[in-house]
């Protein structure tokens, strides 16, 4: 792990933090250890929030190797009883993925109109589900540290070096930066493999670790653990549970994402936010989450 004292996005010194704790599953999978305390850092410069200490590259590889495989699911369910086989399969099921694909197409289409997109790279794109049919006739490739086999028709690039020297028209990085220990380094890697004129689409969840939805989720999970896994539940039974470090180690706001993009001097083509899904509950509209995104061009 690596400890930092400044914001990993804007480098402002951090003076505000909250007590947090590592999820027991994460501690076991990455360090073969029991859960231990961490801190959630609040940057007052750019609004970014992140857990500290941070995962290093080797730890990220251990966490995401064979991501969501049978072995991953079984270990996770032994700590988190709700993470069943069907739940795991549902995360990449065609129905949920269709919503993500349709949304991406809707967000990108107005900005790609009239452009020739012949090559797409999904950086951190798992098996290539998101870009499978995004743009007809484009050559599609995936680079992902999980190294899972890609879907038919989608090229599998096994290393970052393999991504370089190719004429990328569009690079997509969706739901990745909230997982990585050094988001700025990841953005630099994307810049290194892009060419002059490459369009780069970045999107991250816009979420608050102290939001009501997150607190309700943690309390529900604690209640389940107290009944089904009391030894794990009792270890987590403390205020720091609210800030549980799991796979999301970073919490973005539009300002923090924009700061990352500006630091690379990319030209911002468009940016914005969208709700992942929403439904009406009486007079209220309930959203299950918000994404913040940016489309930029490498000059
Ligand atoms: Zn900051």
């Amino acid at each position: 792990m690596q400890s930092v004292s400044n914001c990993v996005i804007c480098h402002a010194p951090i003076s505000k933090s909250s007590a947090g704790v590592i999820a027991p599953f994460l501690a076991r999978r990455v360090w073969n250890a029991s859960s231990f305390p961490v801190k959630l850092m609040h940057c007052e410069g750019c609004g970014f929030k992140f857990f500290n200490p941070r995962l290093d590259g080797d730890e990220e590889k251990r966490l995401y190797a064979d991501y969501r495989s049978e072995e991953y699911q079984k270990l996770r369910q032994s700590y988190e009883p709700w993470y069943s086989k069907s739940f795991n399969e549902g995360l990449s099921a065609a129905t949920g993925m269709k919503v993500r694909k349709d949304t991406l197409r809707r967000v990108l289409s107005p900005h790609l109109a009239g452009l020739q997109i012949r090559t797409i790279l999904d950086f951190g794109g798992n098996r290539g589900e998101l870009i499978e049919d995004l743009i007809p006739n484009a050559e599609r490739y995936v680079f992902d540290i999980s190294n899972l086999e890609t879907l038919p028709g989608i090229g599998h690039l096994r290393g970052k070096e393999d991504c370089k020297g190719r004429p990328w028209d569009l690079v997509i990085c969706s739901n990745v930066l909230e997982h990585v220990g050094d988001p700025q380094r990841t953005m630099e890697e994307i810049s290194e493999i892009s060419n002059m004129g490459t369009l780069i689409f970045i999107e991250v969840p816009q979420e608050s670790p102290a939001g009501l939805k997150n607190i309700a989720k943690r309390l529900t999970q604690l209640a389940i653990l107290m009944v089904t896994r009391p030894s794990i539940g009792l270890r987590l039974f403390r205020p720091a549970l609210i800030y549980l470090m799991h796979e999301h180690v970073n919490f973005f706001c539009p300002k923090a994402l924009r700061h990352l993009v500006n630091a690379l001097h990319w030209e911002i083509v468009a940016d914005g936010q969208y709700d992942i899904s929403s439904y009406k509950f009486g007079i209220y509209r309930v959203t299950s989450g918000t994404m913040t995104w940016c489309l930029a061009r490498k000059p």
Side-chain angles (χ1 to χ4, degrees), residues 7-12 14 43-48:
C7 175
V8 296
I9 299 280
C10 75
H11 306 290
I14 302 285
C43 176
E44 288 171 328
C46 70
F48 187 59

Side-chain angles (χ1 to χ4, degrees), residues 58-191:
D58 287 340
E59 290 160 339
E60 283 170 3
K61 277 185 193 151
R62 290 206 289 279
L63 176 56
Y64 293 110
D66 292 325
Y67 190 46
R68 294 179 183 161
S69 65
E70 191 180 348
E71 178 251 328
Y72 171 98
Q73 182 272 322
K74 280 186 176 162
L75 179 68
R76 189 157 170 184
Q77 192 175 17
S78 70
Y79 287 91
E80 300 170 16
W82 53 86
Y83 200 90
S84 63
K85 193 169 179 225
S86 56
F87 182 87
N88 187 48
E89 286 166 358
L91 291 173
S92 45
T95 42
M97 191 49 72
K98 182 173 184 319
V99 175
R100 277 187 66 195
K101 284 155 77 161
D102 289 349
T103 308
L104 180 65
R105 191 177 289 111
R106 179 171 53 78
V107 170
L108 274 177
S109 295
H111 309 291
L112 302 184
L115 299 178
Q116 264 216 321
I117 304 293
R118 290 154 298 198
T119 50
I120 308 174
L121 170 66
D122 192 343
F123 191 94
N126 210 39
R127 302 176 64 225
E129 296 92 335
L130 195 60
I131 57 165
E132 190 180 7
D133 45 15
L134 180 66
I135 296 169
N137 304 321
E139 279 183 50
R140 298 143 298 159
Y141 292 85
V142 164
F143 164 73
D144 195 298
I145 60 169
S146 67
N147 246 334
L148 297 170
E149 282 308 315
T150 47
L151 297 176
I154 296 182
H156 185 177
L157 301 174
R158 293 178 187 274
K160 286 167 195 160
E161 287 303 312
D162 297 338
C163 301
K164 291 181 184 169
R166 293 171 184 263
W168 301 121
D169 291 323
L170 176 64
V171 176
I172 285 174
C173 181
S174 168
N175 288 276
V176 172
L177 293 180
E178 68 273 24
H179 295 263
V180 302
D182 190 345
Q184 195 171 31
R185 180 67 207 131
T186 302
M187 293 284 279
E188 285 163 2
E189 286 168 355
I190 292 171
S191 195

